[in-house]
């Protein structure tokens, strides 16, 4: 018998060696870095700047970017180009740099008179190579400085000693406005000759504003300009909208109707003309955008498919390009009716990862970002789970199958997809109270599911649905602490875990809950936060948390402390693909930093840290883990990072699909007025996607460009086709042509 068990152990060891022979690999990383400022000279040519001297350039409207490798080490905050060759960038320490070759090389310019201390060049405008203005500012003081000799000498135009300055715009070299203020102030300056500046009186604000600082300004002409700024959901202070019709000498506060009010910081504006404009910003619930067509009398919020703060907008007629502070770019060709995500992998912390099968993997997290792979993690497509004009952070995700999934989000929202993440809709609405947060979600099937979180301080909440989220029942104060995770073995047996070493279990489908007990937990872990939980079988449960792993053999009624050597990390995720094989992950941010990637092969009795710092970034974070049926391990973390261990092709089962050429059925179908088409291409190539009517006549060309191998998704609005046509009710065909691949599918438009 000993020899028999030894042989089995050797075979298991050999299988594991085959599975993990390739070691850890990094499967994703953000396409772009954080953006401080961007500038577009045309709708195709633009630049953006960031920390550590980062300057990137695009010549295709933000789809792809080239690092200009400046050699500059300063944190850059602003960028402006006079033409395609001559440009300026500004940053920390009051430093300014100039290029005369489109950014290939840069020379330093000394800005004499810049605000001393931790100042930044936050805004730049040059009328030509010689004549320009910069804003030098700290958090409490700001100056506008002018040069007429290309930066050799500077004169001070504005010296704002009691508040910062944040943005500047010129209509021409004579007419300009600079804005700012800081906490509790509204500072507005204007010039009519470019040399001397006058401080305008602050407009009258509604009662209750504790902050009135201004963040953005746009001059439509020498007389009409708009400014925008502070807003706060806490305290219900509406976003600030101001207007001047005399070049900045006087300003009017633009009060908004209740249904149009936003309560967020607004940062940037663009106007086509005196009446038609767009403003962008953001806060904790996600991106915020609004549009006016009546000169600011009404700023109507519009849906924006992101949860990141929007900090820059550029426009050229109906074409808009928007930048987020996390380095994500969007464009619109119809003045904001529809938006296209240009950045393949946006930069965000991923909090949750799940494997539907060996091929389909989802990861989700900050800013409402959702990444999806259909080929075992080789390629990924990005979307934001935007619904109800908000896109809160995703704390946890659970997918019943590759099409149906649920998200637990901040502000009490639960969002659902039935088309594999192409579209999302709320099944539990977001609320204004930022104290309420949904942190964990688990569905037994497409109808029966549970969501847990925080209702208020020390008030937990457990929601249950039996109809796929249409209605919910609620239970409160089961453990008197914030709940972080939930897991069910079947329709009857479940466990919830939370902060302050709290857990509860149910044997009747969540109708009643009993507090769990804990055995042999050291005193130093007596109030450890528990952050994730998983069932291995009806009775076996593993829970993990801050420097702690617990094991229950009676369905969560009692948890036993598992002694793990040198466990110093805050464990945030746990995943198993069998009753014996599993992983737990987390990290320690205190010096010395460390990551925990713990593996067990005996159902949680023993754990070994399998971290590989040659691949995993010790300065990053890892937040969750999932294991595919075949045993491949997926870890997600900060900066949109996903690590993969193992290759499912070595162990049989559902092998991951090599990315090939495919055209999916549009969804929804029939549709009115919009639908979405997904397709994949196996190699870099010219791609054509066209719509035809029943007679074979081309109605619209949706895509005609060179694309890299990958997964793609395009939205079609029957009323706003790129050709300018509109669809009438009926049957249409859409055809994908790439390389030698041609495929056609039918879709139906019903008005």
């Amino acid at each position: 018998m000993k020899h028999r068990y030894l042989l089995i152990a050797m075979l298991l060891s050999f299988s594991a060696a085959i599975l993990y022979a390739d070691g850890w690999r990094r499967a994703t990383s953000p396409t772009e870095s954080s953006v401080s400022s961007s500038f577009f000279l045309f709708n195709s040519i633009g630049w953006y700047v960031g920390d550590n001297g980062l300057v990137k350039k695009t010549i295709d409207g933000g789809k792809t970017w080239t690092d200009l490798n400046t050699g500059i080490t300063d944190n850059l905050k602003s960028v402006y180009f006079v033409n395609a060759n001559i440009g300026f960038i500004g940053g920390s320490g009051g430093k300014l740099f100039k290029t005369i070759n489109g950014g290939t090389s840069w020379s330093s310019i000394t800005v004499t008179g810049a605000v001393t201390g931790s100042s930044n060049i936050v805004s730049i405008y040059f009328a030509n190579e010689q004549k320009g203005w910069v804003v030098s500012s700290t958090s409490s003081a700001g100056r506008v400085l002018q040069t007429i000799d290309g930066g050799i000498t500077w004169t001070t135009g504005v010296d704002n000693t009691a508040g910062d300055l944040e943005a500047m715009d010129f209509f021409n070299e004579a007419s300009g406005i600079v804005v700012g203020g800081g906490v509790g102030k509204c500072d507005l300056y204007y010039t009519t000759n470019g040399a001397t500046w006058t401080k305008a009186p602050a407009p009258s604000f509604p009662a209750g504003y504790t902050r009135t600082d201004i963040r953005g300004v746009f001059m439509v002409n020498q007389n009409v300009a708009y400014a925008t700024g502070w807003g706060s959901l806490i305290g219900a202070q509406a976003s600030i909208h101001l207007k001047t019709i005399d070049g900045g000498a006087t300003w009017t506060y633009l009060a908004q109707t209740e249904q149009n009010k936003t309560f967020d910081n607004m940062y940037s504006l663009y106007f086509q003309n005196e009446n038609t404009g767009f403003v962008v910003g953001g806060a904790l619930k996600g991106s915020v955008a609004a549009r006016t067509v009546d000169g600011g009398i009404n700023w109507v919020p519009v849906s924006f498919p992101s949860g990141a703060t929007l900090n820059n907008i550029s426009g050229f007629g109906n074409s808009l390009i928007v930048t987020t502070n996390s380095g994500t770019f969007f464009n619109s060709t119809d003045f904001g009716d529809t938006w296209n995500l240009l950045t393949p992998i946006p930069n965000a912390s991923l909090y949750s990862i799940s494997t539907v099968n060996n091929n389909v993997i989802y990861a989700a997290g900050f800013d409402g970002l959702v990444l999806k792979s259909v080929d075992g993690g080789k390629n990924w497509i990005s979307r934001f789970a935007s619904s109800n004009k908000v896109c809160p952070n995703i704390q946890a995700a659970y997918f019943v199958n590759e099409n149906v999934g649920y998200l637990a989000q901040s502000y009490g929202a639960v969002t659902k997809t039935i088309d594999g993440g192409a579209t999302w809709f709320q099944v539990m609405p977001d609320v204004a109270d930022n104290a309420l947060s949904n942190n964990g979600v688990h569905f037994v099937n497409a109808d029966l599911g549970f969501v847990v979180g925080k209702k208020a301080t020390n008030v937990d909440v457990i929601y249950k649905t039996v109809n796929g989220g249409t209605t919910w029942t609620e239970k409160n104060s089961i453990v008197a602490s914030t709940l972080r995770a939930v897991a069910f073995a079947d329709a009857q047996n479940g466990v919830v875990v939370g902060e302050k070493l709290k857990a509860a279990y149910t044997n009747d489908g969540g109708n009643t809950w009993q507090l769990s007990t804990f055995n042999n937990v050291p005193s130093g872990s007596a109030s450890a936060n528990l952050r994730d939980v998983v069932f291995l079988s009806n009775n076996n449960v593993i829970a993990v948390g801050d420097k702690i792993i617990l094991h229950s053999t009676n369905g969560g009624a009692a948890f036993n402390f598992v002694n793990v050597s040198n466990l110093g990390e805050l464990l945030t995720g746990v995943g198993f693909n069998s009753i014996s094989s599993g992983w737990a992950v987390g990290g320690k941010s205190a010096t010395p930093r460390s990551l925990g990637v713990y593996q067990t092969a005996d159902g949680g009795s023993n754990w070994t840290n399998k971290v590989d710092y040659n691949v995993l970034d010790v300065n990053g974070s890892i937040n969750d883990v999932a294991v595919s049926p075949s045993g491949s391990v997926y870890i997600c973390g900060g900066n949109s990072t996903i690590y993969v261990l193992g290759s499912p092709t070595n162990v049989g089962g559902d092998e991951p699909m090599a990315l090939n050429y495919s055209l999916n059925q549009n969804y929804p179908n029939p549709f009115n007025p919009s639908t979405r088409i997904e397709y994949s291409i196996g190699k870099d190539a010219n791609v054509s996607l066209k719509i035809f009517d029943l007679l074979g006549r081309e109605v619209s060309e949706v895509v005609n460009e060179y694309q890299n191998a990958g997964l793609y998704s395009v939205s079609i609005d029957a009323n706003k086709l790129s050709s300018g046509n509109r669809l009438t009710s009926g049957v249409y065909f859409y055809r994908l042509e790439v390389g030698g691949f041609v495929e056609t599918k039918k879709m139906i438009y019903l008005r």
Side-chain angles (χ1 to χ4, degrees):
M1 292 294 290
K2 286 184 179 180
H3 293 297
R4 180 182 177 186
Y5 289 130
L6 178 60
L7 176 60
I8 293 173
M10 291 175 63
L11 289 173
L12 289 173
S13 176
F14 180 67
S15 297
I18 293 175
L19 176 60
Y20 303 124
D22 295 334
W24 289 102
R25 66 178 178 88
R26 186 165 182 164
T28 65
S29 57
T31 313
E32 302 302 332
S33 305
S34 297
V35 173
S36 298
S37 181
S38 64
F39 178 87
F40 280 81
L41 189 65
F42 310 109
N43 60 3
S44 58
I45 300 177
W47 297 260
Y48 81 75
V49 298
D51 289 348
N52 301 313
L54 179 67
V55 181
K56 288 196 175 187
K57 180 179 180 179
T58 182
I59 58 173
D60 58 10
K63 294 178 182 178
T64 59
W65 294 85
T66 301
D67 194 335
L68 297 183
N69 297 315
T70 62
I72 299 168
T73 58
D74 302 278
N75 295 333
L76 300 175
K77 304 297 182 182
S78 53
V79 55
Y80 187 89
F81 271 74
V82 179
N83 53 47
N85 294 314
I86 299 171
F88 300 84
I89 53 177
S92 57
K95 294 182 181 179
L96 186 70
F97 302 88
K98 177 182 177 181
T99 182
I100 58 173
N101 52 21
T104 303
S105 60
W106 298 84
S107 59
S108 178
I109 296 175
T110 300
V111 182
T112 54
V115 178
T116 58
S118 56
S119 66
N120 295 305
I121 301 295
V122 298
S123 189
I124 305 169
Y125 177 86
F126 271 75
N128 52 54
E129 186 175 358
Q130 299 299 315
K131 189 173 186 179
W133 296 259
V134 299
V135 175
S136 168
S137 187
T138 66
S139 60
S140 58
R143 288 177 185 163
V144 177
L145 303 157
Q146 180 187 8
T147 181
I148 57 173
D149 54 16
I152 297 173
T153 60
W154 296 84
T155 57
T156 300
V158 174
D159 190 7
N160 200 48
T161 59
D164 68 353
L165 295 175
E166 301 216 13
M168 174 177 62
D169 194 35
F170 278 76
F171 176 69
N172 54 37
E173 63 182 83
S175 303
I177 294 172
V178 64
V179 300
V183 177
K185 295 177 83 273
C186 173
D187 291 332
L188 305 158
Y189 294 86
Y190 69 99
T191 181
T192 57
N193 59 15
T196 59
W197 294 75
T198 303
K199 187 173 184 178
S204 298
F205 287 92
Y209 271 93
T210 59
R211 293 189 65 162
T212 54
D213 42 321
I214 310 302
R215 306 296 180 88
V217 61
F218 187 94
M219 294 198 73
V220 183
N221 53 47
Q222 63 184 14
N223 295 315
V224 178
Y226 293 84
T228 192
W230 177 261
S232 176
L233 186 63
I234 302 173
Q237 298 180 37
S239 309
I240 294 173
H241 299 289
L242 306 179
K243 181 179 182 178
T244 179
I245 57 173
D246 54 14
T250 59
W251 293 83
T252 301
Y253 174 86
L254 301 173
Q256 299 299 300
T257 60
E258 286 299 321
Q259 64 266 31
N260 286 340
K261 282 182 179 179
T262 59
F263 298 89
D264 308 271
N265 292 322
M266 294 299 196
Y267 291 100
S268 186
L269 310 98
Y270 164 73
F271 272 75
Q272 285 183 335
N273 51 53
E274 290 189 16
N275 293 316
T276 307
F278 221 91
V279 62
V280 296
L284 295 177
K285 277 193 180 183
S287 305
V288 179
R291 180 170 50 198
T292 183
V293 295
D294 55 13
I297 296 173
N298 293 285
W299 281 100
V300 180
V302 300
S303 294
F304 197 94
S306 171
T309 295
L310 310 178
N311 60 0
N312 286 106
I313 183 170
S314 301
F316 306 90
N318 282 327
S319 296
L320 302 174
I321 301 174
V322 169
T323 313
T324 76
N325 59 352
S326 57
T328 304
F329 287 80
F330 298 84
N331 74 350
S332 173
T333 58
D334 52 17
F335 207 68
D337 284 343
T338 59
W339 293 92
N340 304 303
L341 173 61
L342 302 178
T343 306
I345 304 289
N347 191 344
S349 291
L350 299 174
Y351 298 139
S352 178
I353 192 164
S354 55
T355 56
V356 178
N357 51 46
N358 289 334
N359 298 323
V360 180
I361 303 102
Y362 288 93
F366 200 73
D367 290 338
L369 177 64
V370 179
L371 301 184
K372 177 183 179 181
S373 175
V374 297
D375 57 7
K378 292 181 180 179
N379 297 277
W380 299 83
I381 187 169
S382 304
R383 296 189 183 92
F384 289 89
S386 179
S387 178
N388 195 33
K389 295 183 181 179
V390 296
C391 196
N393 296 335
I394 300 167
Q395 307 298 338
Y398 191 91
F399 280 80
V400 179
N401 52 51
E402 60 184 274
N403 293 315
V404 178
Y406 298 84
L407 308 175
Q409 295 175 279
S410 302
Y411 289 93
V414 177
T415 306
K416 179 180 180 180
T417 182
I418 58 174
D419 56 10
T423 58
W424 297 87
F425 56 95
Q426 288 188 353
V427 292
M428 189 180 297
D430 63 286
V431 297
D433 187 359
N434 66 344
L436 196 152
S437 178
N438 293 326
N439 301 321
V441 55
H442 185 100
F443 270 71
V444 179
N445 52 51
D447 295 318
L448 176 60
F450 299 84
V451 171
V452 301
K454 172 187 176 183
K455 190 83 170 184
T457 302
N458 294 325
V459 179
D460 54 89
V461 61
I462 302 175
Y463 299 104
K464 177 182 177 180
T465 180
V466 295
N467 49 22
T470 302
T471 58
W472 298 84
T473 57
E474 175 182 338
K475 292 186 179 297
N476 300 120
S477 301
I478 302 299
V479 301
S481 184
T482 298
L483 290 174
R484 288 291 178 183
V486 55
F488 270 73
D490 51 40
Q492 300 301 315
N493 299 292
V495 172
V496 295
V497 299
E499 297 178 357
K500 303 176 184 177
L501 199 66
K502 295 294 180 67
Y505 67 99
T506 181
N507 301 127
D508 58 8
N511 293 324
T512 60
W513 293 85
Q514 305 296 322
L515 292 179
S516 305
T517 59
F518 300 95
N519 301 320
N520 304 318
V521 175
S523 58
S525 299
S527 59
N529 295 328
L530 300 180
R531 301 180 184 272
D532 203 5
V533 62
V534 63
F535 272 87
L536 315 188
S537 66
N538 284 347
N539 294 316
N540 279 287
V541 186
I542 298 291
V544 301
D546 296 352
K547 304 179 184 180
I548 192 170
I549 297 178
L550 301 169
H551 184 197
S552 172
T553 58
N554 56 6
F559 282 94
N560 299 309
F561 178 79
V562 180
N563 189 12
V564 180
S565 178
N566 298 317
L567 173 56
E569 293 79 23
L570 310 182
L571 299 180
T572 50
V574 60
F576 277 70
N577 72 323
S578 71
I579 195 170
S580 58
S581 179
W583 297 76
V585 301
K588 182 181 71 171
S589 58
T591 305
R593 297 177 65 95
S594 67
L595 299 176
V597 184
Y598 292 90
Q599 181 187 19
T600 181
D602 58 9
S605 296
N606 296 279
W607 298 80
T608 304
N609 196 352
K610 296 290 186 178
V611 65
D612 181 358
Y613 289 120
N614 291 318
V615 180
L616 278 69
D617 182 7
V618 70
N619 293 313
S621 63
I622 54 177
N623 301 320
D624 197 17
V625 60
V627 190
S628 71
S630 62
S632 287
V633 187
Y634 299 85
I635 293 174
C636 69
N639 299 315
S640 296
T641 301
I642 296 176
Y643 299 104
V644 180
L645 177 63
S647 173
T649 58
N650 291 333
V651 295
D654 296 331
E655 295 186 358
M657 298 177 294
L659 188 66
N660 53 17
Y661 300 95
S662 67
L663 178 64
N664 295 340
Q665 185 64 52
N666 65 302
Y667 184 88
N669 188 42
F671 67 96
N672 179 15
S674 61
T675 189
R676 183 171 292 275
I677 297 173
E678 294 184 354
Y679 61 91
S680 66
I681 58 175
K683 294 182 180 180
D684 301 355
N686 291 311
V687 177
S688 171
L689 179 63
K690 296 180 179 180
I691 300 174
F692 300 87
D693 63 17
L694 273 174
L695 298 178
R697 295 173 299 195
E698 182 179 322
V699 175
S700 181
E701 187 173 57
V702 182
V703 177
N704 182 15
E705 63 184 16
Y706 188 86
Q707 293 182 334
N708 296 327
L711 305 172
Y712 291 87
S713 176
V714 294
S715 181
I716 296 171
D717 190 317
N719 299 320
K720 299 171 183 176
L721 299 177
S722 59
S723 61
N725 296 328
R726 291 187 176 187
L727 299 183
T728 58
S729 292
V731 177
Y732 294 86
F733 298 92
Y734 58 97
R735 184 175 69 200
L736 176 70
E737 295 186 47
V738 50
F741 176 83
V742 180
E743 187 170 354
T744 303
K745 290 185 180 294
K746 181 173 69 175
M747 63 182 181
I748 301 172
Y749 173 50
L750 297 178
R751 294 187 64 180

